[in-house]
Amino acid sequence: MLDLFNKKKLKEKETIIEAKRKKITELLDTIDNLTEQNTRITTNSEHLIEENRKLIDWIERILDTVGIMEIREKLNFRIPVYIEKEYKAYDRNVMGIFEKERITIPEITIIKMG
């Protein structure tokens, strides 16, 4: 009788151990997936930082070429823009969407950090 009781207890413990092994395997897979996602996010962030740097350099070259005029208050500040209000029913832009209006030279704010 005692042997049967021990076998039953042993079987319960083996079941618990197997469930814990399965959970450990799932957690290790989750860690691998998160590590892979983190690598992709880091790579994408580095790419975005580089693209941002290129954009800032491009804007600075424009400002160096065209020149700037300092103003005292932003409230009185206006940027001249060129607006095309031509409906181009047959012309499509790169996204395949019909263009209804195109505004050139928006306000740009550059924040340099650190």
Side-chain angles (χ1 to χ4, degrees):
M1 183 74 166
L2 189 60
D3 194 34
L4 183 61
F5 179 74
N6 285 338
K7 284 184 180 181
K8 185 176 179 183
K9 277 263 211 209
L10 184 62
K11 184 68 173 168
E12 289 174 0
K13 297 291 183 185
E14 286 175 349
T15 303
I16 291 170
I17 290 171
E18 186 57 38
K20 292 199 183 264
R21 281 186 180 147
K22 184 176 178 182
K23 185 66 176 175
I24 288 170
T25 302
E26 290 172 2
L27 290 172
L28 289 173
D29 288 344
T30 301
I31 289 171
D32 288 343
N33 289 338
L34 290 173
T35 302
E36 185 179 315
Q37 287 177 1
N38 187 38
T39 301
R40 280 196 308 265
I41 289 169
T42 301
T43 302
N44 192 30
S45 295
E46 290 169 356
H47 175 71
L48 290 175
I49 289 170
E50 178 60 27
E51 289 298 313
N52 190 39
R53 181 74 245 148
K54 287 178 184 177
L55 178 60
I56 290 172
D57 290 344
W58 178 72
I59 292 168
E60 287 177 336
R61 282 195 310 272
I62 291 172
L63 294 176
D64 287 342
T65 302
V66 176
I68 61 170
M69 180 178 76
E70 291 189 29
I71 58 172
R72 292 180 185 210
E73 295 181 27
K74 188 174 181 170
L75 297 175
N76 296 331
F77 180 66
R78 293 184 188 180
I79 295 178
V81 296
Y82 176 73
I83 299 175
E84 275 185 69
K85 290 195 178 201
E86 232 178 86
Y87 179 67
K88 299 178 180 183
Y90 301 104
D91 294 342
R92 293 178 181 256
N93 65 13
V94 292
M95 296 185 335
I97 301 170
F98 291 115
E99 286 186 16
K100 294 181 182 178
E101 181 178 69
R102 185 180 286 200
I103 300 173
T104 308
I105 314 291
E107 178 179 351
I108 299 171
T109 302
I110 299 174
I111 299 172
K112 293 183 179 181
M113 301 178 81

